[in-house]
Amino acid sequence: MPPEPEKEPVSWQQLVAIVVLAMMSGMFSGLNLGLLGLDVKNLELLTRGPFNDEQEAKDAEYANKILPLRRRGNLLLCTILLGNVTVNSGLSILMGDLTSGVMGLIISTAIITIFGEIIPQATCSRYGLYIGAHTTWFIYIFMFITFPISFPISAILDKVLGEEVGNILSKNQMKRMFEMLEVENVIKSSERKIIQAALDLQEKTAREVMTPIEEVYMLDINT
């Protein structure tokens, strides 16, 4: 069998491209979890004042930047996934020039998994609001690039799946949430009871809240 041709040495341009693609892969992967994990209703709540401190005002500013993107959930999803798949494919091709066979598979898988999936997703899951607000420009650029493909797909998803509905809590879920807030010392027990009673007000009858006349303590009109 004729000997396999030797591979040309990898240039610095290829190494730079690999680093850039790995960073972009991590960005897409992290934003996929960070941005799409943010609830639209919660973002809208964050934008409404008054604010108790400077951090709440900053969170409102971040939420205002993210909301226009997050309201187009399927278009955002298609943009991120198309960008992520394209970047990972390019990264695998370039990694194939460094080495071949099993070693190339192991190296490319390790880079994509650690630097393109685990670290970005762990970071964005914790700081999704902050990172998402500072990377909206990155998403807008790729939304423009992938628009001819991402928009038709997202339009079909919007038509088939319907408009995205934010996280809405039922009355029972709200009651349990207030009980959790009481345990965490965010609200007092008396406040929790008042809020829960207000949630049940519509179902209560006058008989349930009135005191029977025979149990009422009365004074003579001339006393």
Side-chain angles (χ1 to χ4, degrees), residues 92-155:
S92 298
I93 293 172
L94 288 176
M95 289 297 299
D97 293 337
L98 290 178
T99 182
S100 59
V102 178
M103 184 58 65
L105 175 64
I106 293 175
I107 294 175
S108 60
T109 302
I111 291 177
I112 293 175
T113 302
I114 297 175
F115 298 101
E117 298 290 340
I118 296 176
I119 295 177
Q121 290 195 20
T123 305
C124 289
S125 64
R126 184 179 293 266
Y127 305 106
L129 191 66
Y130 176 84
I131 296 175
H134 287 82
T135 54
T136 52
W137 60 271
F138 180 79
I139 296 298
Y140 279 121
I141 291 174
F142 274 88
M143 189 173 286
F144 176 79
I145 295 173
T146 62
F147 190 81
I149 301 175
S150 60
F151 178 75
I153 298 175
S154 65

Side-chain angles (χ1 to χ4, degrees), residues 164-178:
E164 183 179 2
V165 179
N167 186 23
I168 300 176
L169 300 178
S170 65
K171 287 186 178 181
N172 288 331
Q173 290 172 328
M174 291 178 68
K175 290 178 185 178
R176 290 193 290 270
M177 181 185 69
F178 292 129

Side-chain angles (χ1 to χ4, degrees), residues 53-116:
D53 51 41
E54 185 179 352
Q55 184 58 48
E56 288 189 3
K58 285 184 178 180
D59 290 343
E61 182 182 349
Y62 298 154
N64 274 318
K65 290 183 178 180
I66 296 173
L67 261 176
L69 284 173
R70 190 60 189 84
R71 286 195 177 110
R72 302 297 301 273
N74 287 324
L75 180 59
L76 176 62
L77 174 64
C78 293
T79 300
I80 291 176
L81 291 182
L82 282 171
N84 199 19
V85 171
T86 303
V87 167
N88 286 343
S89 299
L91 183 59
S92 298
I93 293 172
L94 288 176
M95 289 297 299
D97 293 337
L98 290 178
T99 182
S100 59
V102 178
M103 184 58 65
L105 175 64
I106 293 175
I107 294 175
S108 60
T109 302
I111 291 177
I112 293 175
T113 302
I114 297 175
F115 298 101

Side-chain angles (χ1 to χ4, degrees), residues 15-43:
L15 293 176
V16 171
I18 290 172
V19 173
V20 172
L21 289 177
M23 293 174 62
M24 291 176 64
S25 175
M27 183 78 73
F28 281 121
S29 180
L31 292 177
N32 186 27
L33 179 65
L35 287 180
L36 294 173
L38 296 173
D39 182 67
V40 176
K41 297 294 182 184
N42 188 41
L43 289 173

